[in-house]
Amino acid sequence: MTASVLVRVEPHWRVIVSRYGDALIERRELRGFDSASDLAKKSKEVAEQLNDPQLSAFSQQTLSRLESDKTGEYIANARPRIQRMLSYLLGWSAEEFEAAVGISIPAVSYLGSVPTESTLETYTPRRGGPPIPPVVSFRETPISIPNELLEMVEKYGDTYPILKTERMQRMLAAPRAHGGLEVGPQTADDWFEYWIANKRFLT
């Protein structure tokens, strides 16, 4: 297990805290994951169970690179969804992750409430802070898929199969559905440019 180092800094002893990749290893082992492979497998399980677009599973190779980071550059440039998943599995909020690792990451409202193994199956992500009773029952917002978007999907769907999924089409169409017909792309070519510019954030 990687440990913080106790060194002599005249005239006192001082604890030098692990940072960057060393801090990740230290926390992983503290959480009971003996290897990077174990935590990578857990990330896949959690991603499938929570099905949260803000969280992404990661491979053992990716985690090993993160844990080998001595400068913070690789951790800082990791995909936000991987940063969030790592913070989630290590039991840190975004603020705690930054304090321990030295890298700021995007926050997720429920990162401070990591479910246990026994409650994961029934766990529902929630906002941080005091619980607020729902005012109305959940209702899925109807979203109409523009014909121009469907035309773009027909043209480029074989190249980008994810475009054929209802979920991706709803994600692309949502801003226009809520902002009005004049908001967002207007032609099939516009939709394709919009997809290319934003696909790294949507997949």
Side-chain angles (χ1 to χ4, degrees):
M1 175 175 178
T2 304
S4 301
V5 181
L6 186 65
V7 300
R8 179 71 173 177
V9 180
E10 297 295 344
H12 306 292
W13 285 96
R14 179 179 168 190
V15 175
I16 305 300
V17 181
S18 302
R19 301 288 272 182
Y20 307 129
D22 289 337
L24 297 180
I25 296 173
E26 187 171 309
R27 182 67 172 184
R28 168 174 58 75
E29 293 176 346
L30 185 64
R31 296 283 291 178
F33 296 98
D34 295 331
S35 69
S37 178
D38 291 338
L39 192 60
K41 290 178 182 177
K42 189 64 177 178
S43 76
K44 183 177 180 180
E45 294 175 13
V46 171
E48 293 175 350
Q49 289 176 292
L50 293 185
N51 193 29
D52 188 327
Q54 295 187 95
L55 303 175
S56 174
F58 47 80
S59 67
Q60 181 268 327
Q61 291 83 359
T62 294
L63 181 57
S64 293
R65 286 195 293 269
L66 292 170
E67 292 185 343
S68 299
D69 190 351
K70 301 300 182 183
T71 65
E73 181 178 0
Y74 192 85
I75 298 172
N77 291 318
R79 297 178 67 176
R81 295 191 301 164
I82 289 179
Q83 293 174 333
R84 294 186 184 107
M85 176 63 84
L86 183 58
S87 184
Y88 177 84
L89 293 177
L90 295 179
W92 280 329
S93 66
E95 293 79 12
E96 290 168 336
F97 187 99
E98 181 177 3
V101 181
I103 300 296
S104 175
I105 67 170
V108 175
S109 60
Y110 55 90
L111 273 179
S113 302
V114 180
T116 63
E117 187 72 28
S118 61
T119 62
L120 186 57
E121 291 184 1
T122 58
Y123 178 71
T124 299
R126 62 175 178 82
R127 64 178 293 281
I132 298 178
V135 177
V136 295
S137 59
F138 172 78
R139 182 180 63 182
E140 184 172 314
T141 302
I143 295 178
S144 177
I145 308 301
N147 290 331
E148 297 84 0
L149 173 55
L150 294 175
E151 181 182 341
M152 184 273 284
V153 172
E154 179 69 22
K155 187 174 181 180
Y156 297 101
D158 290 339
T159 304
Y160 302 97
I162 196 172
L163 288 173
K164 296 181 179 182
T165 64
E166 180 183 0
R167 178 172 176 269
M168 181 55 64
Q169 292 174 21
R170 287 174 57 85
M171 290 173 66
L172 289 170
R176 180 167 172 177
H178 295 293
L181 296 178
E182 70 281 1
V183 174
Q186 300 297 313
T187 68
D189 289 339
D190 288 345
W191 280 110
F192 182 67
E193 291 180 7
Y194 178 72
W195 156 250
I196 291 297
N198 292 279
K199 68 186 182 74
R200 62 171 294 196
F201 305 107
L202 298 174
T203 58

